[in-house]
Amino acid sequence: MANNQKKTNGDMPNAHLHELFVDELRDILGAEKQLLKGLKKMAGKANKETLKSAFEEHLSQTEGHVERLKQVFDSVGLTARGKKCKAMEGLLNEADEIIEEFEDGEVLDAALIAAAQKVEHYEIASYGCLVSYAKLMEHAEAEELLNQTLNEEKETDVKLTEIAMSEANVVQ
Ligand code: FE
Ligand code: FE
């Protein structure tokens, strides 16, 4: 790819965004890696088969998100390196708390969906910003890759709402 080399500030529009872009990429790479463990746990705890398989499917998508982020780093000539995401750490700590609190109750699946949707919204915000930065700096390949993941996060969020409304949150 032609843009496999890091563009110099001279020919990159909105170069002032570069450091922020890289920092946010590192944050979300860390977050995605942390989430792998969280989703495994949520899949293990879910009662309804539909919810369990939704978590499992998103777990394998999340593995793809990690790989895709590596491609994004590569597309701008950088080595992929994540950093610990404190927000994801907090969201997953809260997920653990909510699991403990509702473990034996009938609302566990509803609680798991709430925790998972908070995670998805964090990711949607992160990828949404990253797509904008990539677009403004004309990193076309990075923009395309980040947008693919953004769409998968949004689809997951919608799917979780559907599961909540059709079975997990209603008395059957
Ligand atoms: Fe993700
Ligand atoms: Fe996600």
Side-chain angles (χ1 to χ4, degrees):
M1 279 270 147
N3 59 354
N4 221 3
Q5 290 165 301
K6 184 177 170 184
K7 288 179 180 176
T8 61
N9 284 0
D11 63 12
M12 182 171 68
N14 295 300
H16 66 292
L17 291 171
H18 178 74
E19 271 184 47
L20 178 62
F21 179 69
V22 175
D23 200 66
E24 291 285 322
L25 275 180
R26 290 189 172 139
D27 178 88
I28 197 69
L29 178 56
E32 293 280 20
K33 286 182 174 172
Q34 288 159 243
L35 180 57
L36 292 171
K37 209 175 144 200
L39 280 169
K40 264 178 218 152
K41 184 161 189 183
M42 290 190 224
K45 296 285 178 183
N47 286 318
K48 289 265 183 332
E49 215 36 61
T50 325
L51 183 59
K52 190 184 279 290
S53 60
F55 284 145
E56 280 163 358
E57 190 193 333
H58 198 55
L59 174 59
S60 80
Q61 276 183 327
T62 300
E63 285 163 359
H65 297 172
V66 170
E67 289 313 306
R68 207 177 268 147
L69 281 168
K70 290 179 184 166
Q71 288 175 257
V72 172
F73 275 98
D74 202 47
S75 77
V76 292
L78 293 169
T79 306
R81 192 154 53 84
K83 67 172 190 181
K84 185 181 197 174
C85 172
K86 290 178 191 152
M88 184 61 77
E89 186 182 38
L91 288 166
L92 293 176
N93 283 341
E94 282 200 7
D96 281 343
E97 275 176 25
I98 220 171
I99 288 170
E100 247 179 68
E101 197 170 340
F102 295 103
E103 181 115 48
D104 304 316
E106 57 185 356
V107 292
L108 178 63
D109 280 358
L112 288 171
I113 289 176
Q117 285 193 296
K118 287 177 189 179
V119 166
E120 291 315 305
H121 280 246
Y122 178 77
E123 291 184 301
I124 290 166
S126 301
Y127 281 106
C129 290
L130 283 164
V131 167
S132 307
Y133 304 154
K135 194 181 184 71
L136 289 166
M137 289 187 291
E138 296 180 4
H139 292 323
E141 190 184 353
E143 182 192 341
E144 167 65 27
L145 291 162
L146 291 163
N147 207 28
Q148 284 173 28
T149 299
L150 175 62
N151 286 331
E152 288 177 5
E153 310 293 17
K154 286 180 178 170
E155 283 161 18
T156 300
D157 180 52
V158 169
K159 191 182 200 175
L160 288 170
T161 298
E162 282 167 8
I163 296 172
M165 297 306 284
S166 63
E167 46 181 320
N169 295 15
V170 290
V171 177
Q172 309 223 315

PDB file of all heavy atoms in Angstrom, residues 14-37:
ATOM      1  N   ASN A  14      -4.209  18.126   8.686  1.00  0.00           N
ATOM      2  CA  ASN A  14      -4.593  18.017  10.108  1.00  0.00           C
ATOM      3  C   ASN A  14      -3.604  17.202  10.937  1.00  0.00           C
ATOM      4  O   ASN A  14      -3.990  16.401  11.801  1.00  0.00           O
ATOM      5  CB  ASN A  14      -6.001  17.435  10.231  1.00  0.00           C
ATOM      6  CG  ASN A  14      -7.046  18.353   9.656  1.00  0.00           C
ATOM      7  OD1 ASN A  14      -7.197  19.489  10.124  1.00  0.00           O
ATOM      8  ND2 ASN A  14      -7.734  17.929   8.609  1.00  0.00           N
ATOM      9  N   ALA A  15      -2.324  17.451  10.661  1.00  0.00           N
ATOM     10  CA  ALA A  15      -1.263  16.699  11.340  1.00  0.00           C
ATOM     11  C   ALA A  15      -1.286  16.901  12.858  1.00  0.00           C
ATOM     12  O   ALA A  15      -0.744  16.086  13.603  1.00  0.00           O
ATOM     13  CB  ALA A  15       0.098  17.112  10.784  1.00  0.00           C
ATOM     14  N   HIS A  16      -1.927  17.965  13.300  1.00  0.00           N
ATOM     15  CA  HIS A  16      -1.991  18.197  14.755  1.00  0.00           C
ATOM     16  C   HIS A  16      -2.732  17.066  15.471  1.00  0.00           C
ATOM     17  O   HIS A  16      -2.585  16.900  16.671  1.00  0.00           O
ATOM     18  CB  HIS A  16      -2.681  19.542  15.053  1.00  0.00           C
ATOM     19  CG  HIS A  16      -4.130  19.576  14.673  1.00  0.00           C
ATOM     20  ND1 HIS A  16      -4.551  19.538  13.346  1.00  0.00           N
ATOM     21  CD2 HIS A  16      -5.248  19.616  15.425  1.00  0.00           C
ATOM     22  CE1 HIS A  16      -5.880  19.564  13.332  1.00  0.00           C
ATOM     23  NE2 HIS A  16      -6.320  19.615  14.570  1.00  0.00           N
ATOM     24  N   LEU A  17      -3.518  16.285  14.706  1.00  0.00           N
ATOM     25  CA  LEU A  17      -4.280  15.181  15.317  1.00  0.00           C
ATOM     26  C   LEU A  17      -3.448  13.908  15.477  1.00  0.00           C
ATOM     27  O   LEU A  17      -3.891  12.955  16.134  1.00  0.00           O
ATOM     28  CB  LEU A  17      -5.511  14.853  14.459  1.00  0.00           C
ATOM     29  CG  LEU A  17      -6.616  15.902  14.423  1.00  0.00           C
ATOM     30  CD1 LEU A  17      -7.655  15.532  13.360  1.00  0.00           C
ATOM     31  CD2 LEU A  17      -7.286  16.043  15.783  1.00  0.00           C
ATOM     32  N   HIS A  18      -2.270  13.890  14.870  1.00  0.00           N
ATOM     33  CA  HIS A  18      -1.507  12.642  14.797  1.00  0.00           C
ATOM     34  C   HIS A  18      -1.246  11.995  16.165  1.00  0.00           C
ATOM     35  O   HIS A  18      -1.524  10.813  16.366  1.00  0.00           O
ATOM     36  CB  HIS A  18      -0.177  12.854  14.063  1.00  0.00           C
ATOM     37  CG  HIS A  18       0.665  11.621  14.009  1.00  0.00           C
ATOM     38  ND1 HIS A  18       0.374  10.553  13.166  1.00  0.00           N
ATOM     39  CD2 HIS A  18       1.754  11.242  14.720  1.00  0.00           C
ATOM     40  CE1 HIS A  18       1.265   9.596  13.359  1.00  0.00           C
ATOM     41  NE2 HIS A  18       2.101   9.985  14.303  1.00  0.00           N
ATOM     42  N   GLU A  19      -0.727  12.773  17.099  1.00  0.00           N
ATOM     43  CA  GLU A  19      -0.374  12.180  18.404  1.00  0.00           C
ATOM     44  C   GLU A  19      -1.596  11.677  19.151  1.00  0.00           C
ATOM     45  O   GLU A  19      -1.558  10.629  19.807  1.00  0.00           O
ATOM     46  CB  GLU A  19       0.365  13.200  19.272  1.00  0.00           C
ATOM     47  CG  GLU A  19       1.856  13.156  19.031  1.00  0.00           C
ATOM     48  CD  GLU A  19       2.609  14.085  19.946  1.00  0.00           C
ATOM     49  OE1 GLU A  19       2.335  14.090  21.162  1.00  0.00           O
ATOM     50  OE2 GLU A  19       3.458  14.821  19.428  1.00  0.00           O
ATOM     51  N   LEU A  20      -2.675  12.435  19.048  1.00  0.00           N
ATOM     52  CA  LEU A  20      -3.922  12.029  19.692  1.00  0.00           C
ATOM     53  C   LEU A  20      -4.438  10.732  19.059  1.00  0.00           C
ATOM     54  O   LEU A  20      -4.865   9.806  19.759  1.00  0.00           O
ATOM     55  CB  LEU A  20      -4.966  13.147  19.543  1.00  0.00           C
ATOM     56  CG  LEU A  20      -6.351  12.873  20.131  1.00  0.00           C
ATOM     57  CD1 LEU A  20      -6.291  12.661  21.641  1.00  0.00           C
ATOM     58  CD2 LEU A  20      -7.303  14.020  19.798  1.00  0.00           C
ATOM     59  N   PHE A  21      -4.360  10.661  17.732  1.00  0.00           N
ATOM     60  CA  PHE A  21      -4.770   9.466  16.987  1.00  0.00           C
ATOM     61  C   PHE A  21      -4.000   8.238  17.483  1.00  0.00           C
ATOM     62  O   PHE A  21      -4.593   7.204  17.802  1.00  0.00           O
ATOM     63  CB  PHE A  21      -4.505   9.718  15.496  1.00  0.00           C
ATOM     64  CG  PHE A  21      -4.841   8.572  14.577  1.00  0.00           C
ATOM     65  CD1 PHE A  21      -6.156   8.186  14.352  1.00  0.00           C
ATOM     66  CD2 PHE A  21      -3.834   7.898  13.887  1.00  0.00           C
ATOM     67  CE1 PHE A  21      -6.471   7.140  13.478  1.00  0.00           C
ATOM     68  CE2 PHE A  21      -4.138   6.848  13.020  1.00  0.00           C
ATOM     69  CZ  PHE A  21      -5.455   6.472  12.816  1.00  0.00           C
ATOM     70  N   VAL A  22      -2.691   8.382  17.597  1.00  0.00           N
ATOM     71  CA  VAL A  22      -1.864   7.255  18.023  1.00  0.00           C
ATOM     72  C   VAL A  22      -2.180   6.874  19.467  1.00  0.00           C
ATOM     73  O   VAL A  22      -2.307   5.689  19.807  1.00  0.00           O
ATOM     74  CB  VAL A  22      -0.357   7.589  17.866  1.00  0.00           C
ATOM     75  CG1 VAL A  22       0.514   6.471  18.435  1.00  0.00           C
ATOM     76  CG2 VAL A  22      -0.024   7.828  16.398  1.00  0.00           C
ATOM     77  N   ASP A  23      -2.360   7.870  20.316  1.00  0.00           N
ATOM     78  CA  ASP A  23      -2.669   7.605  21.716  1.00  0.00           C
ATOM     79  C   ASP A  23      -4.008   6.880  21.859  1.00  0.00           C
ATOM     80  O   ASP A  23      -4.135   5.916  22.618  1.00  0.00           O
ATOM     81  CB  ASP A  23      -2.704   8.935  22.482  1.00  0.00           C
ATOM     82  CG  ASP A  23      -2.543   8.707  23.971  1.00  0.00           C
ATOM     83  OD1 ASP A  23      -1.453   8.250  24.372  1.00  0.00           O
ATOM     84  OD2 ASP A  23      -3.502   8.951  24.725  1.00  0.00           O
ATOM     85  N   GLU A  24      -4.987   7.327  21.095  1.00  0.00           N
ATOM     86  CA  GLU A  24      -6.310   6.691  21.149  1.00  0.00           C
ATOM     87  C   GLU A  24      -6.267   5.278  20.557  1.00  0.00           C
ATOM     88  O   GLU A  24      -6.993   4.390  21.009  1.00  0.00           O
ATOM     89  CB  GLU A  24      -7.343   7.542  20.397  1.00  0.00           C
ATOM     90  CG  GLU A  24      -7.676   8.864  21.081  1.00  0.00           C
ATOM     91  CD  GLU A  24      -8.573   8.689  22.313  1.00  0.00           C
ATOM     92  OE1 GLU A  24      -9.471   7.846  22.282  1.00  0.00           O
ATOM     93  OE2 GLU A  24      -8.341   9.400  23.304  1.00  0.00           O
ATOM     94  N   LEU A  25      -5.442   5.087  19.542  1.00  0.00           N
ATOM     95  CA  LEU A  25      -5.279   3.738  18.977  1.00  0.00           C
ATOM     96  C   LEU A  25      -4.697   2.792  20.024  1.00  0.00           C
ATOM     97  O   LEU A  25      -5.129   1.644  20.151  1.00  0.00           O
ATOM     98  CB  LEU A  25      -4.322   3.760  17.777  1.00  0.00           C
ATOM     99  CG  LEU A  25      -4.859   4.092  16.388  1.00  0.00           C
ATOM    100  CD1 LEU A  25      -3.700   4.050  15.390  1.00  0.00           C
ATOM    101  CD2 LEU A  25      -5.966   3.131  15.953  1.00  0.00           C
ATOM    102  N   ARG A  26      -3.728   3.304  20.785  1.00  0.00           N
ATOM    103  CA  ARG A  26      -3.107   2.457  21.821  1.00  0.00           C
ATOM    104  C   ARG A  26      -4.106   2.135  22.914  1.00  0.00           C
ATOM    105  O   ARG A  26      -4.131   1.018  23.451  1.00  0.00           O
ATOM    106  CB  ARG A  26      -1.863   3.150  22.385  1.00  0.00           C
ATOM    107  CG  ARG A  26      -0.757   3.185  21.348  1.00  0.00           C
ATOM    108  CD  ARG A  26       0.579   3.656  21.890  1.00  0.00           C
ATOM    109  NE  ARG A  26       1.564   3.447  20.839  1.00  0.00           N
ATOM    110  CZ  ARG A  26       2.543   4.288  20.528  1.00  0.00           C
ATOM    111  NH1 ARG A  26       2.697   5.407  21.224  1.00  0.00           N
ATOM    112  NH2 ARG A  26       3.374   4.003  19.549  1.00  0.00           N
ATOM    113  N   ASP A  27      -4.915   3.104  23.248  1.00  0.00           N
ATOM    114  CA  ASP A  27      -5.936   2.896  24.280  1.00  0.00           C
ATOM    115  C   ASP A  27      -6.927   1.818  23.851  1.00  0.00           C
ATOM    116  O   ASP A  27      -7.236   0.903  24.618  1.00  0.00           O
ATOM    117  CB  ASP A  27      -6.667   4.222  24.544  1.00  0.00           C
ATOM    118  CG  ASP A  27      -7.774   4.079  25.581  1.00  0.00           C
ATOM    119  OD1 ASP A  27      -7.472   4.222  26.780  1.00  0.00           O
ATOM    120  OD2 ASP A  27      -8.927   3.805  25.194  1.00  0.00           O
ATOM    121  N   ILE A  28      -7.405   1.910  22.613  1.00  0.00           N
ATOM    122  CA  ILE A  28      -8.444   0.957  22.194  1.00  0.00           C
ATOM    123  C   ILE A  28      -7.840  -0.431  21.936  1.00  0.00           C
ATOM    124  O   ILE A  28      -8.513  -1.441  22.162  1.00  0.00           O
ATOM    125  CB  ILE A  28      -9.268   1.486  20.977  1.00  0.00           C
ATOM    126  CG1 ILE A  28     -10.593   0.711  20.797  1.00  0.00           C
ATOM    127  CG2 ILE A  28      -8.478   1.473  19.694  1.00  0.00           C
ATOM    128  CD1 ILE A  28     -11.625   0.930  21.850  1.00  0.00           C
ATOM    129  N   LEU A  29      -6.582  -0.494  21.550  1.00  0.00           N
ATOM    130  CA  LEU A  29      -5.937  -1.806  21.411  1.00  0.00           C
ATOM    131  C   LEU A  29      -5.861  -2.488  22.783  1.00  0.00           C
ATOM    132  O   LEU A  29      -6.186  -3.674  22.928  1.00  0.00           O
ATOM    133  CB  LEU A  29      -4.543  -1.680  20.781  1.00  0.00           C
ATOM    134  CG  LEU A  29      -3.749  -2.986  20.640  1.00  0.00           C
ATOM    135  CD1 LEU A  29      -4.513  -4.050  19.845  1.00  0.00           C
ATOM    136  CD2 LEU A  29      -2.381  -2.740  19.976  1.00  0.00           C
ATOM    137  N   GLY A  30      -5.460  -1.713  23.792  1.00  0.00           N
ATOM    138  CA  GLY A  30      -5.436  -2.250  25.159  1.00  0.00           C
ATOM    139  C   GLY A  30      -6.828  -2.682  25.586  1.00  0.00           C
ATOM    140  O   GLY A  30      -7.022  -3.766  26.143  1.00  0.00           O
ATOM    141  N   ALA A  31      -7.810  -1.828  25.290  1.00  0.00           N
ATOM    142  CA  ALA A  31      -9.196  -2.107  25.690  1.00  0.00           C
ATOM    143  C   ALA A  31      -9.706  -3.402  25.055  1.00  0.00           C
ATOM    144  O   ALA A  31     -10.317  -4.238  25.726  1.00  0.00           O
ATOM    145  CB  ALA A  31     -10.091  -0.936  25.287  1.00  0.00           C
ATOM    146  N   GLU A  32      -9.454  -3.569  23.764  1.00  0.00           N
ATOM    147  CA  GLU A  32      -9.934  -4.779  23.064  1.00  0.00           C
ATOM    148  C   GLU A  32      -9.303  -6.037  23.670  1.00  0.00           C
ATOM    149  O   GLU A  32      -9.970  -7.056  23.848  1.00  0.00           O
ATOM    150  CB  GLU A  32      -9.594  -4.715  21.566  1.00  0.00           C
ATOM    151  CG  GLU A  32     -10.318  -3.630  20.776  1.00  0.00           C
ATOM    152  CD  GLU A  32     -11.750  -3.988  20.386  1.00  0.00           C
ATOM    153  OE1 GLU A  32     -12.356  -4.883  21.004  1.00  0.00           O
ATOM    154  OE2 GLU A  32     -12.270  -3.338  19.458  1.00  0.00           O
ATOM    155  N   LYS A  33      -8.026  -5.942  23.987  1.00  0.00           N
ATOM    156  CA  LYS A  33      -7.351  -7.110  24.576  1.00  0.00           C
ATOM    157  C   LYS A  33      -7.924  -7.427  25.959  1.00  0.00           C
ATOM    158  O   LYS A  33      -8.134  -8.594  26.291  1.00  0.00           O
ATOM    159  CB  LYS A  33      -5.843  -6.858  24.668  1.00  0.00           C
ATOM    160  CG  LYS A  33      -5.144  -6.926  23.317  1.00  0.00           C
ATOM    161  CD  LYS A  33      -3.652  -6.705  23.494  1.00  0.00           C
ATOM    162  CE  LYS A  33      -2.897  -6.916  22.196  1.00  0.00           C
ATOM    163  NZ  LYS A  33      -1.470  -6.499  22.338  1.00  0.00           N
ATOM    164  N   GLN A  34      -8.166  -6.385  26.747  1.00  0.00           N
ATOM    165  CA  GLN A  34      -8.750  -6.592  28.080  1.00  0.00           C
ATOM    166  C   GLN A  34     -10.146  -7.215  27.962  1.00  0.00           C
ATOM    167  O   GLN A  34     -10.552  -8.052  28.766  1.00  0.00           O
ATOM    168  CB  GLN A  34      -8.842  -5.253  28.829  1.00  0.00           C
ATOM    169  CG  GLN A  34      -7.494  -4.716  29.301  1.00  0.00           C
ATOM    170  CD  GLN A  34      -7.502  -3.204  29.572  1.00  0.00           C
ATOM    171  OE1 GLN A  34      -6.800  -2.451  28.926  1.00  0.00           O
ATOM    172  NE2 GLN A  34      -8.303  -2.749  30.520  1.00  0.00           N
ATOM    173  N   LEU A  35     -10.862  -6.793  26.918  1.00  0.00           N
ATOM    174  CA  LEU A  35     -12.243  -7.246  26.734  1.00  0.00           C
ATOM    175  C   LEU A  35     -12.329  -8.742  26.389  1.00  0.00           C
ATOM    176  O   LEU A  35     -13.339  -9.390  26.692  1.00  0.00           O
ATOM    177  CB  LEU A  35     -12.916  -6.404  25.639  1.00  0.00           C
ATOM    178  CG  LEU A  35     -14.360  -6.724  25.294  1.00  0.00           C
ATOM    179  CD1 LEU A  35     -15.276  -6.639  26.519  1.00  0.00           C
ATOM    180  CD2 LEU A  35     -14.868  -5.781  24.200  1.00  0.00           C
ATOM    181  N   LEU A  36     -11.285  -9.289  25.780  1.00  0.00           N
ATOM    182  CA  LEU A  36     -11.312 -10.716  25.424  1.00  0.00           C
ATOM    183  C   LEU A  36     -11.652 -11.565  26.653  1.00  0.00           C
ATOM    184  O   LEU A  36     -12.516 -12.437  26.610  1.00  0.00           O
ATOM    185  CB  LEU A  36      -9.964 -11.155  24.841  1.00  0.00           C
ATOM    186  CG  LEU A  36      -9.583 -10.576  23.470  1.00  0.00           C
ATOM    187  CD1 LEU A  36      -8.137 -10.919  23.124  1.00  0.00           C
ATOM    188  CD2 LEU A  36     -10.526 -11.085  22.378  1.00  0.00           C
ATOM    189  N   LYS A  37     -10.993 -11.232  27.760  1.00  0.00           N
ATOM    190  CA  LYS A  37     -11.218 -11.966  29.004  1.00  0.00           C
ATOM    191  C   LYS A  37     -12.643 -11.723  29.522  1.00  0.00           C
ATOM    192  O   LYS A  37     -13.319 -12.638  29.972  1.00  0.00           O
ATOM    193  CB  LYS A  37     -10.181 -11.494  30.034  1.00  0.00           C
ATOM    194  CG  LYS A  37      -9.807 -12.521  31.050  1.00  0.00           C
ATOM    195  CD  LYS A  37      -8.676 -11.989  31.939  1.00  0.00           C
ATOM    196  CE  LYS A  37      -8.881 -12.497  33.361  1.00  0.00           C
ATOM    197  NZ  LYS A  37      -8.162 -11.685  34.346  1.00  0.00           N
TER     198      LYS A  37
END
